[in-house]
Structure formats: structure tokens, C-alpha cells
Amino acid sequence: MRIGVDVGGTNTDAALMDGNDVVETVKSPTGVNIGDGIANAIGELMTKTGSKTPFINAVMLGTTQFTNTFVERAGLDQVAVLRLSLPANRDLGPFAGWPDSLAAAVNGGVYPVHGGYEYDGIEIAPLDESEIAAAARDMAVKGLNRIAISSVFAPINDAMEKTAADIVADIVPEAAITLSSRLGRIGLLERENAAIINAVLATTAKRVTTACQDALSELGIEAPLFFSQNDGTLMTAADARDYPVRTFASGPTNSLRGAAFLSGIEDGIVADIGGTTTDVGVVAGGFPRQSGLAVEIGGVQTNFRMPDIVSIGLGGGSHVELGDPVRIGPRSAGHRLMEEAMLFGGTQLTATDIAAAAGRTDIGDRDRLASLPEDEVRAADRHIQLMAETAIDRIKTSADPAPVILVGGGAILLSHDLAGASRLIVPDHAAVANAVGAALAQVGGEVDQVFAFDAIGREQALKEACTLARERAVAAGARARTVELVDLEEVPLTYLPGGAVRVRAKMVGELDLEKTA
């Protein structure tokens, strides 16, 4: 048996699963202390089912804590950036394009040194170890121990980044070092940005992962703890502490995975309607469609793995202003819905009130809504449908209708005749699809590399990419016989010689608990 947990800003959802069967689910307030929220949710789950902790094989957790910390710019560390690229890339340094106030808050120093590679692995310049040692000594003098290291084309060859990290670690032994090659894809600036974001979260990552592990210890659960990543696969708690940026957008990813599983539909559109926002994404083969563009987070562009999501300010707690024009959101009652919504005795008109007044749900006391003008309620209800239809239309790549799966506590807002939907599905346990998705998460391996097709041929290049991705999936903890290819992409780089083609391959498999125990 395993437990999936999704820690959101408002609620902590938990699901107990026996194989592929959902045994029980719980939705509990997150609270100020993430550990307390987890302990309360899992504790209630165990009480309701009478389950014993020795029978729990694994706990899979998804959280927005790291994303929220960075976006809110609260509690970020100062970071030193060591870039291996000279004599190239002098003009556009680290923090280029960052919001000025954010860069000023976290930029502890930039250290450009010689090194890096061309696309085919040829060195731009030899690594100058004395130059790196001098930079590390300066970091030590300034008390900088959150360090991001980047190198040109490091995803093709990470040897220079690793050597530089060893030198820095010898001089700054307490340093938390992030290598860009462990995070993003080919592009230097976006990959470097991901490494910097990861480095500024070092203190938060230690606090959150420790709180999660302590919560399990208090409950007597000795099963291994995993964190879900933004591509729908798992990493260990130790990896989450070292690379918290990989959890960005894991919440929507878990919702998409959970929705596909609960509905039995592997190809379609998912709308996850929460208390404040609605996230709309696409599942293909049961996995979230990944964004092919640079992803902006908190005003900073990155290129690491993220699901392709359209988010709008529509949720069950969204404030509603009747009239012409009607206004809905983005302000929301959020976790105070039960206190503020008119249905429950409050004075704030919310989207949930409109859904009830329009006859879409019978929760709460509808007599409290009797004074609302019927024509204005219909107009507000239609506006809610239009907001959802517009988001669905934006995420689609074809005009053809597609199945739409509704999950999240706010799924009651929508009707069964949305434009662009071939049919609407609200599966059992839809309100906690994110926790179910966390429990289902698999282990993956990915390759993003440039191959010279003229030299080795297309077939051999794809074979090498798939083999390497498979090896990485197994090394990450996947059961070898379950590993399969879920994504293979070729992008010709016509501006480079030798028939250069960028190949992305992704393999996933079931978590081998015997290996990770």
C-alpha cells in the first residue's frame, strides 16, 4: 500500500492506495506548518481506514511550497554564480532579464571563468582550475555558500561542471552546490536561471524536506518518502533537498496524471478547478504534455521540464460582482470559502454561490441566495462557462472536440455542455485527483542531446538516446522490465554543421520499492 499526498496552499489532500485501488481519501487544511498539515491528513487517513503503518510501502508527496517561496520572494538565499564559458558569452551574463529587485536580492556575486563546450563536445577553452579556486576563495571570504555552476553545453558533457564543483567544495566545504547540467536543457541562460533558482531555495528545501520526514516519523511510518517532479515522475527526499526546483508545477502534473487514471482516459484535456484558480492541461498517453517553450516563473525564464498549462483566475471561491459586465475573480475566498460564501452564512458572493443558484449543485443553504436576480445569476453562470471554454480552446492544438476531465473541488462550477468538449467526465475521487496522481507517479530518465546524424546515422543516434534514457530511469529506481518510451522528439539544427539534430528521449517505469528500501 502507498500514500499519495498533495500539499497545496489551502488544503493538503491524501489518498491511500492498494495497488491501483483507491482505498480512502482525505482533504485537510494545510496550515502554517507543512509538517502539521501532512501529519493531520495522513493521521486522519489511517484512522478512517484502520490501516497500520507497517503496511505502508511508500509515501509520494507533491507540494507547491518551493514554487510559492520563489514567486513570493520570501526567505530566498543569496547565491554566487560560477559560469564556465570564457572567452565566449561575455556580453550576456547571469541574471540577464531577471526583475531588478529580485536579482538585487539574491545576487551574491558572478564569477565568469574559462571553460565550456561546443555543441559537439569540443572544448571552448580548457578548464583553468586555479581560476576556479580563486573564485571559490573569494566566495568563502564573502560568506557565500549557495553556489550555482553553469557551463556551455553542459547537458552534452558535464565533466567541467563536476570538476569545478569538487574544487569549490574543497574550499567552501559547507557549500550547497547546484550544477546546471542536472536541471535544464541545452540553452545556457535558461538552464543557468534554473540552477540559480534552485540555489536560492537551499535553506527552504532543507526546512521543508526535514518537516515532511519528521511528520512521517511522528506517525511511525518508516516507508521511504518520495517527492513528485514537474514531469510526473518521482525523486527521493534527498534529491528534493538538493534540487527543489524540480518540484515546480508538480501540483498540476499530479492532477493531470490522477485525472487520466481515475477517468481511464489517457488522451484528453484536464481542467483542475481549485478554490482560486483553474489549471487546464493536456494528457497524452496518460502523461502531461510538456511545454516546448521557455517557461517563465516569477519573472525569470527557465527551460527545465514543465507541463503545458493554462491557468486562469477561476475557482470555487472566486469573488463575483453581478451587473453589466459581470466580474469573476481573480480575488477569491480561497480557504475561507466556508466562512465567506453566502451559501454557508457569509456575505461574499462567490462562484460556488452562482453554481448553487443556477441549480448545478445542492450544497449549502440555497434559501440564502433567494434575493439574487435570476437573469444576473444566469449571466454570471454563463460567464463562468465562457472562462473555462476559452482556457480549453487555448490549450488545444486542434479544432476537433476532445474529452474534458473535470477534477478538483470546484468541478461543480461547470456544466455538461462546454464548447470544444466531446464529453465531460467527473470521475470518482475527482476532488483529490492530485493526491492520487502523486501516488501513481513513476520513475523516469531523460536525454536531451545534440547528435551529428551525418556521422552516426539517425537510427544509431535514436538508439543511443533511448538506451541512455533507459539507463537513467533504472538508475533512478525504476523496475527495469517496466521501463518504456513515452516521448521521442527530433529537432534539426540547420544552423549547425554535420546534420546536427537535437534528440529528446524520455523513458518511465514503475518504482522498484525493493531497490529503494
Side-chain angles (χ1 to χ4, degrees):
M1 301 181 78
R2 52 188 173 179
I3 296 175
V5 181
D6 187 272
V7 183
T10 303
N11 290 310
T12 294
D13 300 337
L16 177 65
M17 298 193 65
D18 185 358
N20 284 335
D21 296 327
V22 180
V23 178
E24 186 58 85
T25 63
V26 163
K27 185 179 285 287
S28 175
T30 295
V32 177
N33 187 323
I34 181 176
D36 291 344
I38 294 170
N40 291 337
I42 295 180
E44 184 178 347
L45 198 64
M46 305 301 284
T47 299
K48 289 174 70 173
T49 60
S51 299
K52 305 298 182 183
T53 55
F55 297 106
I56 304 302
N57 300 114
V59 177
M60 289 81 162
L61 188 145
T63 178
T64 59
Q65 293 286 314
F66 303 121
T67 311
N68 295 345
T69 296
F70 183 73
V71 172
E72 295 169 4
R73 303 179 184 181
L76 301 179
D77 296 329
Q78 275 209 324
V79 60
V81 183
L82 181 70
R83 178 192 280 188
L84 318 177
S85 67
L86 294 180
N89 297 287
R90 291 180 182 274
D91 296 332
L92 207 56
F95 297 102
W98 282 52
D100 291 341
S101 59
L102 179 57
V106 303
N107 184 359
V110 172
Y111 300 85
V113 298
H114 287 78
Y117 299 93
E118 302 287 357
Y119 82 97
D120 55 1
I122 296 174
E123 291 183 357
I124 294 176
L127 198 65
D128 186 337
E129 297 189 4
S130 63
E131 197 176 24
I132 295 170
R137 286 193 290 272
D138 189 70
M139 296 173 196
V141 169
K142 294 178 179 177
L144 296 169
N145 55 18
R146 306 300 192 231
I147 299 165
I149 299 178
S150 63
S151 169
V152 183
F153 281 112
I156 293 176
N157 189 340
D158 60 0
M160 287 192 182
E161 283 195 356
K162 288 181 175 177
T163 300
D166 290 340
I167 296 171
V168 172
D170 283 342
I171 298 171
V172 192
E174 74 279 14
I177 300 173
T178 299
L179 303 185
S180 77
S181 54
R182 295 288 306 275
L183 294 173
R185 292 172 167 163
I186 297 292
L188 173 63
L189 278 179
E190 292 85 358
R191 174 165 43 84
E192 183 177 71
N193 286 344
I196 296 172
I197 294 172
N198 190 76
V200 303
L201 291 170
T203 299
T204 300
K206 183 177 181 179
R207 174 178 58 80
V208 169
T209 54
T210 300
C212 295
Q213 290 173 314
D214 288 348
L216 297 188
S217 297
E218 290 175 10
L219 292 168
I221 295 177
E222 297 180 353
L225 170 65
F226 299 92
F227 283 72
S228 56
Q229 304 184 80
N230 40 36
D231 65 350
T233 59
L234 294 170
M235 61 179 167
T236 66
D239 282 341
R241 184 188 61 232
D242 292 341
Y243 290 94
V245 76
R246 288 178 174 170
T247 68
F248 279 26
S250 62
T253 298
N254 289 336
S255 294
L256 267 64
R257 287 272 292 143
F261 171 78
L262 292 171
S263 67
I265 296 175
E266 293 194 337
D267 298 290
I269 295 171
V270 177
D272 181 7
I273 310 167
T276 302
T277 61
T278 294
D279 295 325
V280 182
V282 175
V283 287
F287 282 84
R289 184 178 74 192
Q290 299 294 301
S291 174
L293 303 174
V295 178
E296 187 172 293
I297 301 171
V300 179
Q301 282 204 333
T302 71
N303 64 354
F304 60 119
R305 301 165 296 178
M306 294 281 279
D308 191 5
I309 295 290
V310 172
S311 294
I312 59 174
L314 171 64
S318 293
H319 290 185
V320 177
E321 294 180 28
L322 297 179
D324 187 14
V326 62
R327 291 187 173 84
I328 298 176
R331 295 185 61 190
S332 172
H335 68 282
R336 294 185 55 80
L337 178 66
M338 299 298 289
E339 292 83 31
E340 296 185 6
M342 293 176 64
L343 269 175
F344 306 117
T347 58
Q348 176 63 53
L349 183 61
T350 69
T352 298
D353 294 316
I354 295 299
R360 299 192 186 284
T361 177
D362 59 359
I363 62 173
D365 183 0
R366 292 175 60 180
D367 290 342
R368 296 178 181 275
L369 309 175
S371 62
L372 298 177
E374 290 186 13
D375 59 334
E376 295 189 23
V377 167
R378 283 196 298 272
D381 180 58
R382 183 57 191 151
H383 192 82
I384 290 172
Q385 314 306 308
L386 283 173
M387 291 175 72
E389 290 171 353
T390 301
I392 290 170
D393 188 60
R394 287 175 58 193
I395 203 72
K396 290 171 65 178
T397 56
S398 164
D400 296 334
V404 175
I405 311 161
L406 302 180
V407 296
I412 58 173
L413 302 184
L414 301 182
S415 69
H416 289 260
D417 57 356
L418 286 178
S422 59
R423 56 183 171 132
L424 289 185
I425 305 99
V426 183
D428 292 342
H429 310 297
V432 293
N434 44 13
V436 173
L440 293 171
Q442 296 177 299
V443 180
E446 184 174 353
V447 168
D448 182 4
Q449 191 167 320
V450 178
F451 290 86
F453 276 19
D454 287 354
I456 63 174
R458 176 177 179 273
E459 183 177 350
Q460 181 62 26
L462 298 184
K463 182 179 179 181
E464 287 184 14
C466 291
T467 299
L468 186 54
R470 175 181 292 276
E471 291 173 352
R472 289 179 178 177
V474 173
R479 186 176 286 113
R481 62 180 171 79
T482 67
V483 174
E484 60 181 351
L485 180 70
V486 296
D487 189 25
L488 182 61
E489 180 181 342
E490 302 170 57
V491 181
L493 304 178
T494 56
Y495 55 91
L496 295 177
V501 177
R502 180 176 177 180
V503 178
R504 293 176 183 168
K506 180 179 178 182
M507 294 270 192
V508 300
E510 296 176 3
L511 177 67
D512 187 345
L513 290 171
E514 293 181 0
K515 183 187 298 184
T516 57

